[in-house]
Amino acid sequence: MKGLTASSLKGHPSLIPLFVCVGAGVVGAGYYIGRLCTRCPDVSWNKRDEVYPWNKLAPSYQYKFYSPKRDYAKEKFPEERPEI
């Protein structure tokens, strides 16, 4: 395909930043989707053991990707919490 080989990109150097930015976006989106699939407590891949795996997480477990205002590891929570 014309325009997608290294030799044709040498003839159009202005396309190189476009390919780099699009490639970085695809890699970043793939990483974020993979992280959501593996680390988020809302997603359950194991259907045999625990139906609600998010009940096993401690209140201070930080599963958010980025939290600029809070550090949940240092957060204090009451011992008795209402049932959900």
Side-chain angles (χ1 to χ4, degrees):
M1 293 173 84
K2 189 175 183 180
L4 295 179
T5 61
S7 61
S8 66
L9 280 178
K10 288 180 184 176
H12 301 285
S14 61
L15 291 178
I16 294 173
L18 176 69
F19 279 95
V20 169
C21 291
V22 169
V26 167
V27 168
Y31 167 74
Y32 186 67
I33 289 173
R35 188 183 184 285
L36 282 177
C37 290
T38 58
R39 304 268 301 180
C40 185
D42 297 334
V43 178
S44 175
W45 294 94
N46 189 0
K47 295 185 179 183
R48 275 186 267 133
D49 295 336
E50 181 69 40
V51 179
Y52 303 109
W54 49 85
N55 288 339
K56 293 189 288 187
L57 297 179
S60 61
Y61 180 75
Q62 185 169 354
Y63 62 90
K64 288 190 172 188
F65 186 69
Y66 177 69
S67 180
K69 295 182 181 180
R70 285 187 175 178
D71 184 13
Y72 288 99
K74 297 177 183 176
E75 195 78 25
K76 299 294 181 191
F77 294 99
E79 290 297 322
E80 293 183 15
R81 299 180 72 187
E83 287 294 320
I84 298 177

